[in-house]
Structure formats: structure tokens, C-alpha cells
């Protein structure tokens, strides 16, 4: 069982880091709660709620800085929102759930270590059909895995040359916000429990997210923090996949 103080520190750092690149942090929160032994009925709604608040903060900061483009995100949202709603209706349990979550964590770890796609010098127009198809797939995966899907969208936007890194961050933040709301609405009728420390976790993560969004949209990110957090998530990924 992870030390309660260490959980707080991890949540703050993860929310700071994820918000700095336009993400809500769901995959990171899941990693921390998994290592801490927190049950799924406790952390599932909390992760989505944190995703909503943190990604909203990131979206507002990046939009204020001038990086948000409606035409870049609308095609994805048309199909991702209903698909996220449907995906959240199929909660995974046991070994399958752990394996899929562990594999999902590989994406943010690679991004944190800067192993993902490199940014192209010039962005090209997003084809409508491609946006609709990617939106449907990423939205369903987001709902199924209880995340916002930004960890998948960002690499796609950069790899395909549809957006710069900060344009990708702004689009991903809004993508996560919408899909997380859809997922939370979809699971509202399911049974959940509220842990004694939930309000502390919420406050800490939101605070870290606000600061991270400000630094990411206006200042910079630190490689040392990114590598340390990538290591923590790699441990969680290994735990989910192999133990």
C-alpha cells in the first residue's frame, strides 16, 4: 500500500505535468490509485471528475494563449462523444481491465520520454472523414478505459501533421473534457463509493492542474520532472501487466 502522503504528491505532480501538455491526467491517476490499492468503484468516478476539471483548466489556458482551433477538433468530437458514452457502458474487470489499462499507459510514458512522433514544421488540413473515424475509435477507447482519450489524440495530431504541439494540447484538452463528461454521465447509474481522502485528492489534483496548464501554455516544462513521473508510471504499467 502506498503512503497517503506520497499519493498526494503523485497526484499533484501528475496533474501539473499532464495539464502542461493539455491532458486531464486520467491514465496517471489510474496508475497511482492502482499502486495504492484503491478500488475501482472508488476511483472510477473521481478520475473522470478530475479529468473534467483539469482538462477544462488546460483548455482555457491554451485557448487564452491562442492555440485552440475549432476546425481541428469538431470532426473528432462528432463521433467521439457518442462513442465515449457507449464505451463507458462496458466496464471492464479483472485481468482484461488491467491489461488494457497497462497497455494504455504505454502511450503517455512514451510521450513523457519524448519517444512519440516529432512535430512537423508545417501543419496540413484535417480531412473530415479521417477525423470522424479517429474520433469514433478514440472515443470508444476513452469510455472503455475510463480516460479522456487525449493520450491517444495528441500523438495522432502530431504524427499526421494536423497540428503543432501546442495546438494539439489545446485540442486534446477540449477532447478530454467532452469525452470525460460523456463517460461520467454514462456511468452515473452504477454503484460507487466515496473514500475518506477523496476531497483531498480532488483539491490537490485540481491545484496541480491549474498550475500545470499555466506553465504549459505560457512558460515551459521541465525534463527532470517528466522523466521521474514517467518512471513512476512505468512501475504502475508493469504492475498492471505482469503482477
Amino acid at each position: 500500500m502506498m503512503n497517503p502522503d506520497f499519493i498526494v504528491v503523485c497526484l499533484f505532480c501528475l496533474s501539473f505535468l499532464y495539464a502542461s501538455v493539455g491532458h486531464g491526467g486520467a491514465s496517471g491517476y489510474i496508475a497511482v490509485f492502482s499502486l495504492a490499492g484503491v478500488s475501482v468503484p472508488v476511483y472510477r468516478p473521481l478520475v473522470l471528475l478530475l479529468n473534467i476539471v483539469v482538462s477544462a483548466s488546460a483548455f482555457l489556458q491554451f485557448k487564452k494563449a491562442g492555440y485552440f482551433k475549432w476546425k481541428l477538433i469538431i470532426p473528432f468530437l462528432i463521433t467521439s462523444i457518442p462513442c465515449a458514452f457507449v464505451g463507458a457502458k462496458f466496464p471492464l474487470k479483472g485481468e482484461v481491465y488491467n491489461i488494457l489499462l497497462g497497455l494504455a499507459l504505454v502511450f503517455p510514458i512514451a510521450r513523457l520520454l519524448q519517444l512519440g512522433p516529432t512535430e512537423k514544421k508545417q501543419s496540413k488540413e484535417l480531412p473530415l472523414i479521417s477525423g470522424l473515424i479517429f474520433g469514433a475509435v478514440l472515443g470508444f477507447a476513452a469510455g472503455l478505459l475510463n480516460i479522456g482519450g487525449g493520450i491517444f489524440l495528441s500523438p495522432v495530431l502530431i504524427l499526421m501533421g494536423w497540428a503543432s504541439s501546442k495546438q494539439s494540447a489545446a485540442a486534446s484538452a477540449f477532447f478530454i473534457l467532452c469525452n470525460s463528461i460523456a463517460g461520467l454521465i454514462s456511468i452515473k447509474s452504477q454503484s460507487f463509493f466515496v473514500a475518506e481522502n477523496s476531497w483531498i485528492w480532488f483539491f490537490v489534483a485540481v491545484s496541480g492542474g491549474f498550475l500545470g496548464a499555466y506553465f504549459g501554455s505560457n512558460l515551459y516544462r521541465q525534463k527532470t520532472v517528466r522523466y521521474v513521473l514517467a518512471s513512476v508510471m512505468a512501475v504502475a504499467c508493469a504492475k498492471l501487466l505482469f503482477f
Side-chain angles (χ1 to χ4, degrees), residues 92-103 144-145 240-241:
L92 299 175
K93 298 179 180 179
E95 186 176 351
V96 174
Y97 183 63
N98 289 342
I99 291 175
L100 289 179
L101 280 177
L103 292 176
L144 192 68
L145 298 176
L240 288 167
L241 291 175

Side-chain angles (χ1 to χ4, degrees), residues 9-25 29 54 58 62 112 204-217 219-222 225-226 229:
V9 172
C10 285
L11 289 178
F12 180 87
C13 292
L14 286 168
S15 62
F16 179 94
L17 179 69
Y18 273 74
S20 72
V21 293
H23 292 181
Y29 308 144
V54 173
F62 279 96
L112 290 172
V204 168
V206 170
S207 299
F210 179 83
L211 290 175
Y214 175 78
F215 273 77
S217 60
L219 301 176
Y220 58 90
R221 293 174 290 157
Q222 296 184 20
V225 176
R226 182 167 58 239
L229 292 175

Side-chain angles (χ1 to χ4, degrees), residues 80-242:
S80 73
I81 293 176
C83 287
F85 183 88
V86 173
K89 291 289 187 181
F90 300 93
L92 299 175
K93 298 179 180 179
E95 186 176 351
V96 174
Y97 183 63
N98 289 342
I99 291 175
L100 289 179
L101 280 177
L103 292 176
L105 289 178
V106 172
F107 288 88
I109 291 171
R111 293 294 293 152
L112 290 172
L113 294 176
Q114 295 185 319
L115 300 178
T118 57
E119 181 179 342
K120 299 184 182 300
K121 294 183 178 180
Q122 292 185 339
S123 299
K124 55 186 179 181
E125 199 72 21
L126 168 66
L128 177 60
I129 299 301
S130 297
L132 294 174
I133 294 174
F134 273 111
V137 174
L138 300 184
F140 185 80
L144 192 68
L145 298 176
N146 203 56
I147 59 178
I151 58 172
F152 304 126
L153 179 63
S154 289
V156 168
L157 290 175
I158 297 174
L159 177 64
M160 301 301 292
W162 293 331
S164 66
S165 57
K166 291 206 172 185
Q167 289 172 346
S168 169
S172 295
F174 195 67
F175 184 81
I176 293 167
L177 173 63
C178 295
N179 289 331
S180 295
I181 291 175
L184 191 61
I185 293 174
S186 179
I187 66 172
K188 69 181 187 306
S189 60
Q190 298 177 18
S191 298
F192 301 110
F193 303 94
V194 179
E196 182 180 354
N197 296 324
S198 292
W199 70 272
I200 299 177
W201 296 337
F202 179 84
F203 176 78
V204 168
V206 170
S207 299
F210 179 83
L211 290 175
Y214 175 78
F215 273 77
S217 60
N218 296 284
L219 301 176
Y220 58 90
R221 293 174 290 157
Q222 296 184 20
K223 288 185 178 180
T224 301
V225 176
R226 182 167 58 239
Y227 291 152
V228 170
L229 292 175
S231 299
V232 172
M233 293 181 63
V235 173
C237 180
K239 177 180 181 296
L240 288 167
L241 291 175
F242 305 113

